[in-house]
Amino acid sequence: MERSQINKNTSMWPVFLLLFFITLSKYNLSIGFSLKIYMIFLGIFLCLYFRDFYFHTPYHYEILLLLFYFTYCLSGAFSQYPESSIRVILGVILVLGCYFIMRYILELTSISAIENSIANVGIIFNVISLLLYIIGIKVTGRFPTGVEVTSYGLLLDRDYPRLIGLLDDPNIFIFFNTLFFSFYLTNLKGFKHSIGFILCVITSLLTFSRGGILALILVVILYMLLANFSKKIKMMTVSLLCLVGIYAAGSFIQIDFNEIIASRITDFSTDGGSGRFELWSQAINYFMSIPLLGIGAFNFSDYYAFEHNEKLYVHNTYLEVLVESGIIGFLFYISFLLMLVITLFKAKLHKEKPFIVLTLFAFLIQMMSLSLMINEAFFSFLALTLRYITVYERKEVDVYDKQQKG
């Protein structure tokens, strides 16, 4: 009786607020670590429902994830820069704690309420981000130039007017937007979802993130192969409208998007992937020095700063895992990802809810050029995924039971 009452009370709002507050990750309090709005919200929620809070037995892939983070944090005990390791260990504990509260909230929420929240938050996130970008363009002038200059939702990166919206990095923006993009792509029914997809396409293109846009293009191609003919026609129609809209907007604010896109592609051959290739080479050198246990949690930037007087991240999650936690941590991390993929396919989510599989596919590609060791967008996606797995695994069991009885 009490549990059903909790279900009724939580409805859509906790999930809606959770997803919206996660998109506000740029806004935080620095108290030794970044205390973010969604963390405060989860803390308040836990206080309100503390008496009813419980842990479900973790899935195999969750156990592997916890083993990875244990190994990763343990590597910090032997690191050359323990202060950095202590900081990230505190961050890991905090984010994992938030993850388990997210699991609880989502478990009390129906699938339809979750999907309504995704649809609504996606539109709000993209509309606000686009407005902030337009304001940034207006403030800096119609022909903005600059290097690492931020104005509202605009980042001038080597004279490219890149959209950052509610976040502080265009590559991270497109990573956050991937869930919404994949959801609208696979649910192009009705005006709201079509508008949401158009907004996602426009804002994602305006980030001029080569890795992020490539990941979304591959997602579209993959879904085109899986979708039926009518869905393909609808996708092509909406995508064409997106392109017309973005070029019309370019004409209005007098920005030549053709020139910018061509320039970004040309730059790839000269800037080494914005300096990433040099960072990856350096990471491999550090890994070779301590291959088994790694150089220590969150130590790459300190190692790099010692040699180059500049703190930079690896910009490749897999390499970051390998160099900082060594072969042992890397094996746990890859095993976690493989087990997650296997679990998704066992629950038949690639058929029932393809946006989950497509989002993960895009994330795995984007993580090749981003450092996302404890990213809240990824952990909220894991919590959402768990909810879908529990629902659709149960459906598979119910079908099997009926067949056995029949």
Side-chain angles (χ1 to χ4, degrees), residues 118-119 122-123 125-126 173-188 193 196-205 212-221 223 235 238-239 242 354-356 358-359 362-363 366:
I118 294 172
I123 290 174
F125 173 61
N126 280 280
F173 178 90
I174 205 168
F175 186 83
F176 273 67
N177 214 19
T178 299
L179 173 67
F180 304 124
F181 177 90
S182 300
F183 175 77
Y184 295 130
L185 173 68
T186 57
N187 292 278
L188 280 175
H193 290 178
F197 183 67
I198 290 171
L199 286 168
C200 280
V201 171
I202 291 172
T203 54
S204 297
L205 288 174
I213 292 170
L214 174 63
L216 297 189
I217 290 172
L218 292 176
V219 162
V220 172
I221 293 171
Y223 188 61
M235 273 190 289
V238 176
S239 298
C242 292
F355 83 93
I356 294 289
L358 292 175
T359 300
F363 277 178
Q366 291 175 67

Side-chain angles (χ1 to χ4, degrees), residues 7-245:
N7 273 301
K8 184 179 177 181
N9 289 339
T10 54
S11 65
M12 185 180 80
W13 285 104
V15 176
F16 173 86
L17 292 173
L18 172 63
L19 293 175
F20 179 65
F21 289 151
I22 283 172
T23 66
L24 302 178
S25 295
K26 172 183 176 181
Y27 307 98
N28 58 76
L29 294 173
S30 181
I31 53 175
F33 60 89
S34 296
L35 182 64
K36 302 182 180 182
I37 297 173
Y38 84 91
M39 295 176 179
I40 298 171
F41 166 72
L42 289 173
I44 293 170
F45 187 92
L46 179 62
C47 291
L48 292 174
Y49 290 95
F50 185 76
R51 287 178 55 195
D52 303 292
F53 186 78
Y54 60 92
F55 286 101
H56 259 310
T57 304
Y59 272 70
H60 296 306
Y61 71 84
E62 290 181 299
I63 293 171
L64 289 167
L65 180 63
L66 293 174
L67 285 172
F68 158 69
Y69 277 115
F70 176 77
T71 306
Y72 180 69
C73 293
L74 188 63
S75 71
F78 310 101
S79 66
Q80 191 166 339
Y81 300 95
E83 299 88 355
S84 295
S85 294
I86 291 169
R87 279 185 59 208
V88 80
I89 288 168
L90 291 174
V92 166
I93 293 169
L94 183 62
V95 171
L96 285 175
C98 289
Y99 167 71
F100 283 105
I101 303 172
M102 290 181 205
R103 286 170 96 235
Y104 177 70
I105 291 175
L106 289 161
E107 192 168 321
L108 302 180
T109 311
S110 67
I111 292 295
S112 61
I114 290 171
E115 294 184 351
N116 280 333
S117 298
I118 294 172
N120 294 333
V121 172
I123 290 174
I124 294 169
F125 173 61
N126 280 280
V127 166
I128 295 174
S129 295
L130 193 56
L131 288 174
L132 289 172
Y133 178 75
I134 293 169
I135 293 169
I137 291 283
K138 294 293 184 182
V139 169
T140 55
R142 290 192 171 185
F143 303 96
T145 58
V147 179
E148 298 296 326
V149 176
T150 302
S151 176
Y152 295 91
L154 168 73
L155 170 68
L156 297 176
D157 178 17
R158 291 165 293 176
D159 295 341
Y160 294 116
R162 304 182 68 183
L163 182 143
I164 56 174
L166 282 168
L167 300 170
D168 52 11
D169 183 278
N171 302 306
I172 297 297
F173 178 90
I174 205 168
F175 186 83
F176 273 67
N177 214 19
T178 299
L179 173 67
F180 304 124
F181 177 90
S182 300
F183 175 77
Y184 295 130
L185 173 68
T186 57
N187 292 278
L188 280 175
K189 50 188 179 184
F191 179 75
K192 183 167 75 172
H193 290 178
S194 297
I195 288 296
F197 183 67
I198 290 171
L199 286 168
C200 280
V201 171
I202 291 172
T203 54
S204 297
L205 288 174
L206 288 173
T207 64
F208 301 110
S209 170
R210 291 171 297 203
I213 292 170
L214 174 63
L216 297 189
I217 290 172
L218 292 176
V219 162
V220 172
I221 293 171
L222 180 60
Y223 188 61
M224 288 278 281
L225 295 173
L226 300 174
N228 59 39
F229 182 74
S230 63
K231 287 183 179 178
K232 289 176 183 177
I233 295 296
K234 189 178 290 186
M235 273 190 289
M236 287 189 286
T237 303
V238 176
S239 298
L240 184 61
L241 287 173
C242 292
L243 291 175
V244 170

Side-chain angles (χ1 to χ4, degrees), residues 344 349 353-361 381 384-385 388:
L344 291 179
L349 285 176
K353 296 292 176 181
F355 83 93
I356 294 289
V357 176
L358 292 175
T359 300
L360 179 61
F361 173 71
F381 167 74
L384 280 168
T385 299
Y388 279 92

